């Protein structure tokens, strides 16, 4: 079991052990909130079938009610009780689950899901996470869990238990410390439409090229500005300070986030590795936001592969 350490003066942070996992399950089954790690970012989890529990997610985050939530399922069998899977959706789930891929699929008519989870949409965003802590809680609780990122709405996503405590404080009864998140970016979100047409709603650790190679089909182009899934708001993942993108050097009083040979106050990856840069992106933004500098600058990051997801988050953070 992946565990962290708790050197913080935050009484609601607990290292992961059997007692902490049992406490988390008990809290969730009583309709309250638990923050816990996934392979992407820390999630703020609640019983997806409880109207009151889901409402507490929106209240704790200050999240707008039109922004739907991702439901986390223990396995494909649980997911099939909630959503309708086309042949392509089934194939994608079998290939990429458990893992950082969220599928937006038709919601089953009699699924035990609170209406606020889908924000009134006929579809639901669902995935099976890979992180052992989240998996343990899903298995032991028997609940599908709605779990957006465990931070105030629109702010920098959390990749450590400390980030959660700094953002949400006592709004969360329990934060399970499972260490730093491996991927460091939210899951890729793919909508699977009629006739197995697919669209990328949010880039993430699993790239469009991987989906295209697996499916043998090109993604459809997005049309309109309807919010169908988390992470589609223009301004999101944002620190409290202004951000300047594609900077070649720091200007006066800027905290510079570097990449590759372009050094800075914090380098996302000195060797220019996009996976490392993704895993360190939110940590860099948290550090920059806490610095004495009045603004943040970020050097160019290649807009290919995983770099597209990194740049998506940076553009929304700077909006």
């Amino acid at each position: 079991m992946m565990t962290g350490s708790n050197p913080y003066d935050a009484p609601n942070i607990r290292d992961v052990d059997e007692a902490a996992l049992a406490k988390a399950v008990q809290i969730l089954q009583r309709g309250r909130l638990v923050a816990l790690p996934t392979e992407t970012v820390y999630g703020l989890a609640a019983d997806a079938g409880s109207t009151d529990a889901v409402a507490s997610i929106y209240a704790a985050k200050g999240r707008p009610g039109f922004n739907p939530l991702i439901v986390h399922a223990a396995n494909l069998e649980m997911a099939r009780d909630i959503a309708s899977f086309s042949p392509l959706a089934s194939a994608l789930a079998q290939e990429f689950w458990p893992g950082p891929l969220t599928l937006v699929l038709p919601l089953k008519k009699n699924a035990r899901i609170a209406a606020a989870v889908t924000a009134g949409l006929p579809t639901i965003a669902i995935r099976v996470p890979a992180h052992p802590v989240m998996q343990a809680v899903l298995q032991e609780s028997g609940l599908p869990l709605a779990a957006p990122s465990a931070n105030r709405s629109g702010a920098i996503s959390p990749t450590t238990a400390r980030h959660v405590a700094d953002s949400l404080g006592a709004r969360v009864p329990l934060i399970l410390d499972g260490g730093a998140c491996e991927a460091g970016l939210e899951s890729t979100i793919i909508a699977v439409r009629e006739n197995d047409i697919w669209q990328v709603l949010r880039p993430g650790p699993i790239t469009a090229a991987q989906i295209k190679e697996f499916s043998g089909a090109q993604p459809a182009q997005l049309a309109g500005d309807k919010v169908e899934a988390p992470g589609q708001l223009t301004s999101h993942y944002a620190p409290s300070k202004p951000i300047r993108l594609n900077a070649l050097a720091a200007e006066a009083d800027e905290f510079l986030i570097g990449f590759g040979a372009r050094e800075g106050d914090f380098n996302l990856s000195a060797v220019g590795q996009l996976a490392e840069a993704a895993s360190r992106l939110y940590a860099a933004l948290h550090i920059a936001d806490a610095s004495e500098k009045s603004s943040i600058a970020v050097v160019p990051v290649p807009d290919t592969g995983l770099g597209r997801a990194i740049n998506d988050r940076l553009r929304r953070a700077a909006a």
Side-chain angles (χ1 to χ4, degrees), residues 79-86 89 104-109 124 192:
R80 288 190 188 279
D81 289 337
I82 297 167
S84 295
F85 282 73
S86 68
V104 174
L105 304 171
L107 176 67
K108 279 195 169 176
K109 186 175 181 180
I124 189 162
V192 181

Side-chain angles (χ1 to χ4, degrees), residues 1-48:
M1 182 68 64
M2 185 183 300
T3 63
S5 58
N6 181 14
Y8 319 121
D9 183 21
N12 55 344
I13 295 179
R14 287 187 59 175
D15 287 343
V16 177
D17 56 24
E18 295 214 357
L21 288 171
K23 182 68 173 176
V25 168
Q26 181 184 66
I27 289 172
L28 289 165
Q29 290 176 336
R30 291 178 177 176
R32 299 177 70 200
L33 300 173
V34 172
L36 69 172
T38 76
E39 68 273 29
T40 57
V41 299
Y42 273 70
L44 183 62
D47 177 1

Side-chain angles (χ1 to χ4, degrees), residues 7-8 33 42 61 63 67 96 104 111 127 146 148 162 173 182 187 219 234 248 252 258 269-270 287 296 302 314:
Y8 319 121
L33 300 173
Y42 273 70
K61 285 178 63 70
R63 186 182 180 95
N67 197 6
F96 294 105
V104 174
R127 83 178 182 101
R162 177 77 264 173
E182 181 180 356
S187 61
T234 301
L248 299 181
S269 175
I287 292 168
I296 303 167
L314 286 171

Side-chain angles (χ1 to χ4, degrees), residues 33 41-45 54-64 67-69 146-158 164 167-168 171-172 186 230 236-237:
L33 300 173
V41 299
Y42 273 70
L44 183 62
V54 172
S56 68
I57 292 177
Y58 282 93
K61 285 178 63 70
R63 186 182 180 95
N67 197 6
L69 305 174
S149 58
N151 57 281
R152 294 291 288 172
S153 184
I156 308 168
S157 297
V164 179
S167 185
L168 295 178
R171 296 182 187 91
V172 189
E186 295 83 358
H236 208 42
Y237 318 111

